[in-house]
Amino acid sequence: MLQRQVPAWVSHNLLDPGQAEDGSPVATCASEETLFPCHLLTVRVVRMKNVRQADIVSQPDCFVSLWLPTASHERLRTRTISNCPNPEWNETFNFQIQTQVKNVLELSVCDEDTVTPDDHLLTVLYDLTKLCFRKKTYMKFPLNPEGMEELEVEFLLEESPSAPEALITNGVLVSRQVSCLEVHAESRRHKKHGKMKDLLVTVKESFEHTQRVSHCPNPACFHYPKYFQPQMHVEMPKQQWSCGLCCCAHKNDPVCQPLDCLPEGQAVTLPVNENCEVQMTSTPCSQPLDVRLGFSLCQAELEFLQKRKVVVAEALKQVLQLEEDLQEDEVPLIAIMATGGGTRSMTAMYGHLLGLQKLNILDCASYITGLSGATWTMATLYSDPEWSSKNLEPTIFEVRRHVVKDKMPALFPDQLCKFQEELQQRSQEGYKVTFTDFWGLLIEACLGDERNECKLSEQRAALCRGQNPLPIYLTINVKDDVSNQDFREWCEFSPYEVGLQKYGAYIPSELFGSEFFMGRLMKRIPESRICYMLGLWSSIFSLNLLDAWNLSHTSEEFFHRWTRERVHDIEDEPLLPEIPKCDANALDTTVVIPASWLSNTFRTILTHRAFVSEFHNFLLGLQLHTEYLQSSEFSKWKDTVLDGFPNQLTQSVNHLCLLDTAFFVNSSYPPLLRPERKVDLIIHLNYCAGSQTKPMRQTCEYCTVQNIPFPEYTLQDEENNLKECYLMENSQESDAPTVLFFPLINDTFQKYKAPGVERSPEEMEQGQVDIYGPKTPYATKELTYTEAAFDKLVKLSEYNILNNKDKLLQALRLVVEKKKRLKSQCPP
C-alpha cells in the first residue's frame, strides 16, 4: 500500500450531523415542514349523453364512479340509471384536497350487469389543477365527438375550515401529515363467567387497515393521513359473549366514528354496545421522516468522497508522475462501470481489476458500479474491508476453485431442504418470498462453501477510511403487468442507501425490505443477507414474453396494438368563458378506453412475470407534488408513457418489482450520470454477449433523448473489427464525462502473452480464447468453467488492461487537465 500524506485541504472533522457514529446515514430531508391550507372540492356529476352500448342486447344501465387517490382510497359512485342512453344523476360528492399535490380525478363510466362483472366503458382523467378558486367550473367532456357522447360535470373549489396541513417535499414527492390513533377495548359490565372477545377495528385510509383489538393494556395503533377524512369502523364478531351454559350470539351493524373531528391528544370513548366500548386517542405523528427526500448525496457518501480524495490524489500523483500535489478541486472523480453477463462478467471483472491494480489505477477510482453477474464479483470483494490494498491473485484463485467445482450438490435433496427451511424463515420475517430468493441461495452455494452472513450495510466497513471505491449496484423497478419498455425506473443500492433517483427518495440500506408509510418506518424487518441481494441484482428469470420480444426485435407496434389501452387527449374548455385556465402546467384531460376481453387476456399472458423480485415499497403513501413533471430532477429520468399518469406511478403500489437491468440496457451508467456525483472519467468494462457495442450505443441514445451530458456514439464503423480500448469524449459539453471503453475481445492477446512479449509456438494455444462463438465455454447460461477456460478469461482481461496502459494514462491526464482548466476559468 502506498504511504499517503494527508493534504492540507482535507478536513479532520469528518463526522457530520447527518451521519451516525457507526457511519450509517441519517435521513435528512430537502425541506422542513411547511404549512399549507387544505381545500374543499365539490364534484357534481350532472348527466351523460349518447352513452355507448356495451352490448347489442340492451340499453346501458349506467353509473359513474369517482376515484381521487390523493384524497381518499375509497371509490365513490352515483346511483345506476337503467335502460337509458342519456342518464341524468345530479349527484354531489365532496373531497378535501391538498393543492400542493397532483390531484387527478378519475371519472369511470360503467354499465352495470347483474350476472357478469360490470362493463367498464371508459375513464376520464381530469387534472384538478385547472380549477379556479371559489368559482364553479362546468365541464362538458367530449368523449366521442362523432357519436355526440358527452359527460357533464360541475366543480367547485373552496376554502376548508380545517387547520393548515404540515407537508414535507423535495419538489417531486410530498409527505403529508400523519396522525396516530391508539385504540383499545373496555368492558362496560363485568360478568362473572363472561369473556369479551376481540373487536375488528378498521380504518381504511390507514397503513394498518384492519386490526383485532382486545381487552388488554396495549392499544392497537393506526397511522392515517389526517386530512383524508378517515372513519373508524368497529365490528363485533358473532358469539361476542359466552357465559356458563348458554351462548349469547348476536351481531350488530358496525359502529362508525369519523376521525377528522377528534380532538388531538384527548381520549374519546365510543360505545359499541351495552357490553363494551372502545377508548381512542389521536395524536400527531411528529417523528422525522425515515425516507430521505432529496436529490443531493447523503452525508455519509459526501464524507466518504472527502476521504477518498486523499487516496486518489496520492495515486494520481504517482501514476502520472506529477511534481506537485493536486489541490482539492483538482482531483477528478473516476468510476469503474461494469456490465452484466453471468459467470463470464464475474470472471472477466477479476482480470480487469487485477490489471488496474497492477497499474496502480485502481486507487484512482472513487466508484465501482455493476449489475447482474458483475455484482457477484463486487459483493465477494467487499466482504474484505481492505480488498483493494491486497494482491487480488489469491482471491482470484479462491474464486477459481468455486467456478470449476461441480454445482450439482447444490441441488441435492438435503441442500434443497435447507433452502426451503431458510425461505420459510424469510417469509416469517415479513418478506415476500419469490423464486429469485431461491436463485440467491443457489448462487451462494455455487460460489462459496458455507452460509455467508454478510449484509449490504456491513460493506460500510470497507469505506470508513476511503480505502476502497464506493460500490453501487443497479436494478430497475418495473410493473408486473407491462413491458419494461413502457415503464421502468432506476433503483440504486449502495452500502449507505437504497433509492429511486427519479423521485429523490432514499432509505438507509439496512432498512430495505422494511415496511414504510408516508415516509415513516412502520415495521422493521431484518436486513437481507447478501445472497438474497445477489439473487435480486441478477434476477435473470424475471423476464416476461413482451420483454423477450423487445430484446429480440426492434418493432413493438404489433404487440402494443394488442396489449395497450386506447388513450387519447380531449378538449376540456369550460363552458363558462370567463373562467381562464389557471395552471399552464396542468396535465391534458385524457380518455382511456379499456381493451377488449381478448386483448386483456393476451396482455396478461405476455406481461406476466412469474419470478419477479418483490419488496415492500418505501414510497408507499407519498404523493406527487403538483409540479413534479416540471422538476428538472424528475424530468432527467422521465422516459416512459406512465410518467404522465401520476395515479399509476410507484408511490401508489405496495411492492417494488425489481428486475435485472440487463433486460433494458446492459450497463450500470445511471448512478454515475447523476449531476450530484459529477463523475469525470468512466472506465467502461464490457461483458455482454453478442454485440459488444450495443450497451454503449444504447446508453448514448438514451442520454441524447434524456438530455444527459455524455459522449457521442462514434463506433459505427468499428463494430465488426473492434480494438481493445476506445477513448470517447465530448469536447462540446463540459459536463459530459470522458469514457474509456473496453470491449471484451481477443485481439493481440492471441500473439502476445504480455504487452510486448510474443508467445512461443508452444504458447499459441493459450491465446485462443473463444468468447462468443457457438461452442464457447463462456455462454451466459454457464455457471461452471474448466480451469483452463477460467484462467484464459482472467489473463485475457488483465492483458487488455495492461496492454492499454498508455490510453489509461492519457485519459487520466485529460481529466486532471480538464479539472485544472475549469478551476482557472471559475472566478475566485
Side-chain angles (χ1 to χ4, degrees):
M1 194 71 176
L2 297 174
Q3 191 71 26
R4 302 187 180 104
Q5 297 180 351
V6 179
W9 45 263
V10 177
S11 170
H12 295 281
N13 184 21
L14 294 179
L15 185 62
D16 190 89
Q19 182 181 356
E21 293 183 359
D22 62 355
S24 61
V26 176
T28 57
C29 296
S31 174
E32 299 297 328
E33 282 190 353
T34 306
L35 295 178
F36 291 95
C38 288
H39 296 85
L40 291 179
L41 172 70
T42 302
V43 181
R44 183 167 69 95
V45 181
V46 183
R47 66 176 65 86
M48 192 168 176
K49 298 179 180 179
N50 303 311
V51 179
R52 68 193 67 187
Q53 289 184 246
D55 53 63
I56 60 174
V57 177
S58 62
Q59 292 289 342
D61 305 320
C62 211
F63 69 90
V64 176
S65 74
L66 299 87
W67 187 47
L68 185 57
T70 50
S72 173
H73 293 168
E74 186 177 0
R75 293 178 184 266
L76 308 177
R77 56 163 291 177
T78 65
R79 69 187 185 279
T80 300
I81 298 181
S82 301
N83 297 318
C84 181
N86 299 292
E88 185 168 342
W89 295 279
N90 277 313
E91 293 189 39
T92 300
F93 303 88
N94 296 308
F95 301 92
Q96 185 162 249
I97 69 171
Q98 172 55 250
T99 55
Q100 291 299 306
V101 304
K102 180 61 79 174
N103 299 293
V104 176
L105 177 65
E106 298 191 12
L107 299 159
S108 296
V109 180
C110 302
D111 182 6
E112 187 176 87
D113 290 326
T114 55
V115 179
T116 60
D118 296 339
D119 295 313
H120 180 195
L121 302 181
L122 57 91
T123 296
V124 177
L125 277 61
Y126 183 66
D127 187 351
L128 300 179
T129 310
K130 299 178 180 181
L131 298 180
C132 291
F133 196 50
R134 299 193 191 98
K135 293 183 178 180
K136 288 185 179 181
T137 304
Y138 196 92
M139 302 298 304
K140 182 180 290 186
F141 298 108
L143 308 177
N144 180 11
E146 296 179 358
M148 301 299 290
E149 187 179 35
E150 295 176 341
L151 175 64
E152 297 179 24
V153 184
E154 183 185 76
F155 299 94
L156 176 61
L157 189 62
E158 301 175 289
E159 298 95 338
S160 170
S162 301
E165 181 180 11
L167 306 179
I168 299 175
T169 181
N170 62 358
V172 173
L173 290 175
V174 178
S175 174
R176 301 189 63 178
Q177 191 168 335
V178 173
S179 293
C180 179
L181 179 71
E182 294 185 349
V183 180
H184 63 89
E186 293 285 348
S187 173
R188 302 186 71 183
R189 61 173 64 178
H190 298 282
K191 292 188 176 183
K192 184 176 181 181
H193 301 289
K195 182 179 180 182
M196 191 181 77
K197 292 188 177 180
D198 296 347
L199 299 175
L200 288 180
V201 180
T202 299
V203 180
K204 291 183 180 180
E205 311 295 348
S206 72
F207 168 78
E208 293 80 7
H209 194 271
T210 300
Q211 296 187 77
R212 285 186 173 272
V213 177
S214 60
H215 180 63
C216 67
N218 297 324
C221 293
F222 295 85
H223 296 84
Y224 62 94
K226 181 179 179 181
Y227 290 95
F228 266 32
Q229 297 179 303
Q231 293 185 333
M232 182 183 71
H233 298 266
V234 183
E235 184 178 353
M236 297 175 297
K238 290 183 179 180
Q239 295 184 349
Q240 177 70 18
W241 292 87
S242 59
C243 57
L245 301 177
C246 68
C247 184
C248 304
H250 47 261
K251 181 176 176 70
N252 298 336
D253 293 332
V255 177
C256 181
Q257 169 65 48
L259 300 181
D260 54 352
C261 60
L262 292 181
E264 289 186 354
Q266 297 182 22
V268 176
T269 300
L270 176 66
V272 178
N273 61 15
E274 61 181 7
N275 298 319
C276 68
E277 62 188 19
V278 293
Q279 300 255 344
M280 51 189 174
T281 306
S282 178
T283 56
C285 190
S286 58
Q287 71 263 27
L289 297 188
D290 299 292
V291 175
R292 183 175 71 88
L293 294 182
F295 293 91
S296 62
L297 303 182
C298 70
Q299 287 294 331
E301 183 173 341
L302 292 174
E303 294 296 333
F304 161 80
L305 291 173
Q306 185 77 359
K307 299 171 186 176
R308 186 64 181 172
K309 277 187 177 182
V310 181
V311 180
V312 173
E314 182 62 27
L316 286 171
K317 181 178 180 181
Q318 182 187 34
V319 170
L320 298 179
Q321 299 181 353
L322 303 176
E323 295 181 358
E324 298 179 354
D325 291 337
L326 292 173
Q327 297 302 307
E328 180 180 12
D329 51 1
E330 296 174 346
V331 180
L333 205 60
I334 300 168
I336 298 170
M337 194 287 299
T339 69
T343 309
R344 179 182 62 252
S345 60
M346 179 191 73
T347 305
M349 189 176 183
Y350 277 111
H352 279 141
L353 293 178
L354 179 60
L356 292 171
Q357 186 184 60
K358 288 185 176 181
L359 296 177
N360 287 330
I361 294 178
L362 187 55
D363 277 342
C364 299
S366 295
Y367 291 103
I368 293 182
T369 64
L371 70 149
S372 198
T375 66
W376 304 352
T377 300
M378 295 164 63
T380 301
L381 290 174
Y382 281 87
S383 62
D384 181 355
E386 309 296 333
W387 72 266
S388 67
S389 62
K390 298 179 180 178
N391 185 353
L392 285 177
E393 290 179 341
T395 301
I396 294 173
F397 184 80
E398 177 66 14
V399 171
R400 176 179 183 262
R401 182 173 68 85
H402 293 297
V403 172
V404 303
K405 73 181 182 183
D406 182 16
K407 305 301 189 297
M408 284 306 298
L411 296 175
F412 286 173
D414 60 335
Q415 186 64 48
L416 293 178
C417 288
K418 292 180 181 179
F419 289 169
Q420 183 179 15
E421 291 175 1
E422 180 157 355
L423 293 177
Q424 289 176 345
Q425 174 65 29
R426 182 169 173 80
S427 177
Q428 293 172 2
E429 290 175 347
Y431 285 99
K432 190 170 183 178
V433 174
T434 64
F435 185 80
T436 53
D437 295 315
F438 168 77
W439 171 237
L441 292 173
L442 188 62
I443 293 173
E444 180 182 57
C446 291
L447 301 180
D449 290 324
E450 56 189 16
R451 176 187 170 98
N452 184 355
E453 297 293 342
C454 292
K455 300 176 176 65
L456 177 60
S457 64
E458 293 173 355
Q459 293 182 7
R460 293 171 190 158
L463 308 170
C464 60
R465 304 188 315 278
Q467 69 268 40
N468 299 295
L470 173 65
I472 302 178
Y473 310 84
L474 186 66
T475 65
I476 51 175
N477 177 49
V478 298
K479 288 185 176 291
D480 58 3
D481 59 350
V482 298
S483 163
N484 62 46
Q485 301 297 316
D486 285 339
F487 180 81
R488 73 266 164 173
E489 298 170 332
W490 306 111
C491 182
E492 64 176 56
F493 295 73
S494 83
Y496 298 128
E497 287 188 321
V498 177
L500 293 160
Q501 58 198 55
K502 183 168 76 176
Y503 300 101
Y506 299 87
I507 57 172
S509 55
E510 62 267 27
L511 297 184
F512 178 70
S514 296
E515 296 187 56
F516 290 79
F517 179 68
M518 202 64 81
R520 295 167 172 85
L521 180 65
M522 294 288 107
K523 179 181 178 182
R524 181 157 187 167
I525 296 176
E527 184 181 0
S528 296
R529 295 195 297 116
I530 197 67
C531 70
Y532 293 112
M533 306 308 293
L534 293 177
L536 160 63
W537 296 329
S538 60
S539 53
I540 58 176
F541 306 101
S542 302
L543 203 66
N544 62 28
L545 293 179
L546 193 53
D547 293 336
W549 173 268
N550 292 333
L551 286 173
S552 58
H553 295 77
T554 57
S555 174
E556 306 171 18
E557 180 180 355
F558 171 75
F559 282 103
H560 281 163
R561 181 183 304 169
W562 286 93
T563 60
R564 283 180 171 172
E565 297 174 320
R566 285 181 290 163
V567 179
H568 61 273
D569 298 335
I570 60 173
E571 296 292 333
D572 62 354
E573 292 291 343
L575 295 183
L576 300 179
E578 69 273 17
I579 300 179
K581 282 193 174 181
C582 297
D583 195 330
N585 296 321
L587 297 173
D588 292 333
T589 301
T590 303
V591 173
V592 179
I593 309 298
S596 66
W597 174 86
L598 178 61
S599 295
N600 285 332
T601 303
F602 192 33
R603 175 194 182 94
T604 301
I605 295 172
L606 289 176
T607 61
H608 177 64
R609 301 182 190 275
F611 306 121
V612 70
S613 301
E614 295 189 61
F615 288 84
H616 294 297
N617 178 18
F618 56 87
L619 300 189
L620 183 64
L622 296 171
Q623 297 180 357
L624 290 168
H625 193 273
T626 186
E627 296 180 357
Y628 80 99
L629 279 173
Q630 284 68 51
S631 166
S632 59
E633 290 87 355
F634 185 90
S635 298
K636 186 178 293 293
W637 309 106
K638 173 175 66 73
D639 63 355
T640 64
V641 294
L642 293 185
D643 287 320
F645 293 83
N647 294 350
Q648 299 185 49
L649 288 180
T650 300
Q651 79 288 344
S652 63
V653 297
N654 291 324
H655 292 88
L656 301 176
C657 296
L658 299 173
L659 195 67
D660 192 327
T661 308
F663 292 141
F664 174 50
V665 176
N666 191 2
S667 76
S668 51
Y669 274 108
L672 304 175
L673 300 179
R674 287 177 57 187
E676 299 81 18
R677 291 201 167 103
K678 300 180 181 178
V679 176
D680 299 292
L681 173 62
I682 300 175
I683 301 174
H684 177 152
L685 306 177
N686 202 71
Y687 309 121
C688 67
S691 170
Q692 287 294 290
T693 59
K694 183 178 179 181
M696 175 60 75
R697 183 176 67 253
Q698 289 178 320
T699 302
C700 291
E701 292 171 353
Y702 180 84
C703 290
T704 299
V705 172
Q706 300 302 122
N707 199 28
I708 297 173
F710 199 77
E712 295 181 359
Y713 184 72
T714 57
L715 302 178
Q716 289 92 338
D717 298 333
E718 303 274 355
E719 292 185 2
N720 295 323
N721 189 23
L722 288 173
K723 300 175 185 177
E724 295 165 347
C725 182
Y726 292 89
L727 181 61
M728 303 172 62
E729 55 180 338
N730 188 342
S731 59
Q732 305 300 319
E733 182 64 68
S734 60
D735 292 333
T738 300
V739 174
L740 205 58
F741 174 48
F742 283 90
L744 185 58
I745 61 168
N746 185 13
D747 188 15
T748 60
F749 182 70
Q750 300 177 61
K751 296 182 179 180
Y752 293 86
K753 62 180 180 181
V757 182
E758 293 190 16
R759 297 184 183 276
S760 65
E762 295 78 17
E763 296 171 325
M764 294 301 291
E765 192 278 332
Q766 296 297 318
Q768 303 305 311
V769 187
D770 180 13
I771 308 176
Y772 305 112
K775 296 183 179 181
T776 177
Y778 306 113
T780 306
K781 62 182 178 63
E782 297 291 342
L783 283 176
T784 305
Y785 293 168
T786 64
E787 293 181 350
F790 181 91
D791 292 341
K792 284 183 177 181
L793 188 54
V794 171
K795 290 177 181 177
L796 168 64
S797 303
E798 178 191 357
Y799 170 87
N800 283 350
I801 292 291
L802 297 177
N803 195 48
N804 289 277
K805 176 182 178 180
D806 292 342
K807 276 282 181 63
L808 283 159
L809 296 180
Q810 179 188 356
L812 293 177
R813 290 192 184 95
L814 281 173
V815 293
V816 169
E817 292 170 359
K818 181 179 178 181
K819 293 289 285 188
K820 291 185 175 182
R821 183 172 63 254
L822 292 176
K823 175 185 177 181
S824 66
Q825 294 173 355
C826 293

